[in-house]
Amino acid sequence: MKREFGSFIQTIMIWGDELLGYLYLMMVALFFSFGGTCVKMIRPYFTAPMITFLRFFVGVGWLLVLKVIKRQHIREDFWQAFRKHWGWLVMGALSKLMAYITENTALSIGVSYGNILTQPVQMVLLTILGVTVLHETMSRNKWIGVSLCVLGIFLISWNGLSIETLLSGNLMLTLLYVISGIFAGLFVFAQKKVAGDFDILDSNLFMFSLAAILAFLIPAAQGTILPSSTPDWRCIVAILWFGFVTGIGFYLNAKAIPLVPFRMVALLQSTMVFFALAWGILFFHEPVSIWIISGTVLFVLGIVIMQRREKGEAGKA
């Protein structure tokens, strides 16, 4: 009887942890969906490179606050792990820097929900890296999922426009988002490579701090550090929230990964695109065409299919 009761309590605790993981991932999706909204509120006062610096700088500040709240000191083996993985840490910092520079530049020009394109690009890249670098098998589901993601990207990029209009501007924005998605995927891959030897809070602090220093060099060289005019309260709130989303969002994402089936991580993260579309309509009255809706549904469907296990894979698990 005691064994059965103990087993019941253990099952409830496992379910509780899994539910907490799902809650974390939904919070992350909601947080990240405000990226375009924040850029639109900050852009009248700061350039895109300065927005990138502010995002990293404030994000580091939030991570330091979290570290103080948790009373967490740097692990004793930090420098030993750093000597072993410094290349991956630098790669992660550079990748995230490039991801945010290209994303913020595109968001400054186009609609606030344009960065929904980065999600399927990142997923496709991680699938390719899993096959080529980690030697994972490329199943039928993954091939179908990748194809649907690519088709979704094409529909969103095309948006029913003529060839002339597409070549005049939309193609450049799509290219910026594709580059951003590629570098965002490389950042996740770098996180995966160092996760075994680093506390996620310490590794993110290092990578975001290095990225903030490098990001500051761009507006410093351009002489665009100071705002064009006195920022209003919405701009200040957007800067603080953007940093919070960056620092705490990635921390919650890392906390969620061990608690839920890994195939569910990308699936729940992809729900951010629906939030982003909603904010674009609600806050900026931006048009959302049937092409964008169709493309969004296609690449979310592609991500869902990629996360499904086939019979052979389920038997091995």
Side-chain angles (χ1 to χ4, degrees):
M1 191 71 177
K2 288 183 178 179
R3 286 185 179 178
E4 291 179 358
F5 181 74
S7 177
F8 173 75
I9 294 298
Q10 187 176 10
T11 302
I12 293 297
M13 290 177 65
I14 292 173
W15 284 351
D17 286 343
E18 190 167 328
L19 286 173
L20 187 61
Y22 289 134
L23 177 61
Y24 285 157
L25 288 173
M26 289 306 298
M27 288 172 63
V28 169
L30 180 62
F31 287 172
F32 287 167
S33 70
F34 283 104
T37 303
C38 290
V39 170
K40 290 298 183 184
M41 290 182 175
I42 302 170
R43 184 61 184 90
Y45 306 95
F46 293 97
T47 62
M50 192 61 189
I51 293 174
T52 301
F53 163 71
L54 290 171
R55 184 173 186 180
F56 281 122
F57 181 75
V58 179
V60 168
W62 281 113
L63 287 176
L64 289 174
V65 169
L66 180 62
K67 201 169 181 66
V68 170
I69 293 173
K70 290 170 62 69
R71 297 181 180 179
Q72 179 179 319
H73 300 286
I74 295 177
R75 283 170 33 174
E76 294 181 0
D77 61 347
F78 175 85
W79 292 111
Q80 180 181 351
F82 177 80
R83 286 192 292 270
K84 179 180 177 182
H85 295 296
W86 68 269
W88 288 111
L89 291 171
V90 172
M91 173 187 161
L94 293 175
S95 297
K96 206 59 187 168
L97 173 63
M98 290 302 300
Y100 282 164
I101 287 176
T102 49
E103 179 183 346
N104 291 334
T105 300
L107 285 171
S108 299
I109 302 170
V111 293
S112 66
Y113 56 79
N115 58 343
I116 63 175
L117 282 174
T118 62
Q119 194 73 25
V121 172
Q122 176 178 322
M123 193 67 199
V124 170
L125 176 72
L126 289 175
T127 302
I128 294 172
L129 288 176
V131 173
T132 58
V133 180
L134 302 179
H135 307 293
E136 297 175 351
T137 56
M138 190 66 174
S139 65
R140 180 183 60 183
N141 282 344
K142 288 183 178 179
W143 278 116
I144 294 173
V146 167
S147 301
L148 288 175
C149 283
V150 172
L151 181 58
I153 293 171
F154 172 75
L155 288 181
I156 293 173
S157 306
W158 176 32
N159 198 17
L161 299 173
S162 65
I163 297 298
E164 293 78 10
T165 305
L166 188 65
L167 293 177
S168 65
N170 276 47
L171 195 60
M172 179 56 68
L173 287 178
T174 299
L175 182 60
L176 286 171
Y177 285 127
V178 168
I179 294 172
S180 178
I182 290 172
F183 280 110
L186 291 176
F187 170 74
V188 172
F189 192 73
Q191 277 189 315
K192 180 179 177 64
K193 297 296 290 186
V194 305
D197 294 314
F198 278 99
D199 177 87
I200 193 65
L201 189 51
D202 290 336
S203 61
N204 277 357
L205 261 174
F206 178 85
M207 288 189 281
F208 287 177
S209 297
L210 177 58
I213 294 171
L214 296 174
F216 182 74
L217 298 178
I218 301 174
Q222 295 174 341
T224 56
I225 297 174
L226 297 177
S228 57
S229 59
T230 304
D232 62 9
W233 67 270
R234 292 181 302 176
C235 176
I236 301 300
V237 170
I239 290 172
L240 294 175
W241 177 247
F242 213 13
F244 180 87
V245 164
T246 303
I248 306 302
F250 277 105
Y251 175 77
L252 289 178
N253 189 66
K255 290 278 288 183
I257 289 175
L259 302 178
V260 301
F262 188 69
R263 66 183 182 277
M264 296 299 295
V265 175
L267 175 59
L268 290 178
Q269 285 179 345
S270 67
T271 60
M272 65 85 67
V273 303
F274 300 112
F275 292 123
L277 288 170
W279 308 147
I281 298 170
L282 182 63
F283 296 137
F284 306 108
H285 308 291
E286 294 169 338
V288 178
S289 69
I290 187 63
W291 301 102
I292 291 174
I293 294 174
S294 301
T296 301
V297 170
L298 275 177
F299 78 63
V300 170
L301 180 61
I303 291 173
V304 171
I305 291 175
M306 276 194 280
Q307 300 308 305
R308 291 183 59 189
R309 291 184 179 182
E310 297 186 4
K311 293 181 179 179
E313 294 174 318
K316 295 175 185 177

